[in-house]
Amino acid sequence: MLRINDQITIADWEMTESFIRASGPGGQNVNKVSTAVELRFEAERSPNLPDPVKRRLKRLAGQRWTKEGTVVIFVQETRSQARNREIARERLAELIGRATVAPKKRRPTRPTKGSVERRLKAKKARGEVKRLRGETGE
């Protein structure tokens, strides 16, 4: 069971973990022990995620989102399988946590009267410089 917040918890059956041999440092241990973790979360079929959260999660996950609607997280940071498993679960929880936050609606604002006046004054001054440049024949 993975707890995201008060409303959302992910059941163990929604996640599948597979362990693979990791690359990198580790000596002979690398060739013998499967320490890397591939965590798959069936986000599209999850009954615990509301639809708006699923849409935001798909956008946030990017390449980690498969065609089947699965979020894939691959971790091979440490030499410990247990620690890699924890890191993968933490990353999934953090990703889903970010997806639960609805973005603020943008409210278009109008420029202030002062800023409009300053812009027009600057344009007039620039135009005057160009006009004077033409009169002298340079």
Side-chain angles (χ1 to χ4, degrees), residues 21-83:
R21 290 195 185 112
S23 63
Q28 289 181 337
N29 199 48
V30 166
N31 303 325
K32 293 189 288 187
V33 184
S34 299
T35 55
V37 178
E38 184 183 75
L39 177 69
R40 293 177 154 277
F41 169 57
E42 302 290 337
E44 196 69 58
R45 297 187 305 156
S46 176
N48 300 319
L49 290 181
D51 282 337
V53 174
K54 285 180 187 176
R55 283 195 299 274
R56 287 192 292 268
L57 179 62
K58 182 177 182 176
R59 189 173 42 77
L60 283 171
Q63 290 183 328
R64 293 175 288 193
W65 185 278
T66 66
K67 289 178 189 151
E68 296 81 37
T70 304
V71 177
V72 179
I73 295 176
F74 183 75
V75 179
Q76 62 173 3
E77 287 179 11
T78 67
R79 296 182 190 182
S80 163
Q81 187 184 76
R83 183 66 189 122

Side-chain angles (χ1 to χ4, degrees), residues 7 13 19 21-22 29 32 44-45 54-55 62 67 69 74 77 90 95 100 102 116 119 128 134 136-138:
Q7 293 86 25
W13 65 266
F19 302 98
R21 290 195 185 112
N29 199 48
K32 293 189 288 187
E44 196 69 58
R45 297 187 305 156
K54 285 180 187 176
R55 283 195 299 274
K67 289 178 189 151
F74 183 75
E77 287 179 11
E90 287 167 8
L95 189 66
T100 59
V116 169
R119 182 180 65 85
E128 187 65 22
T136 59
E138 288 180 19

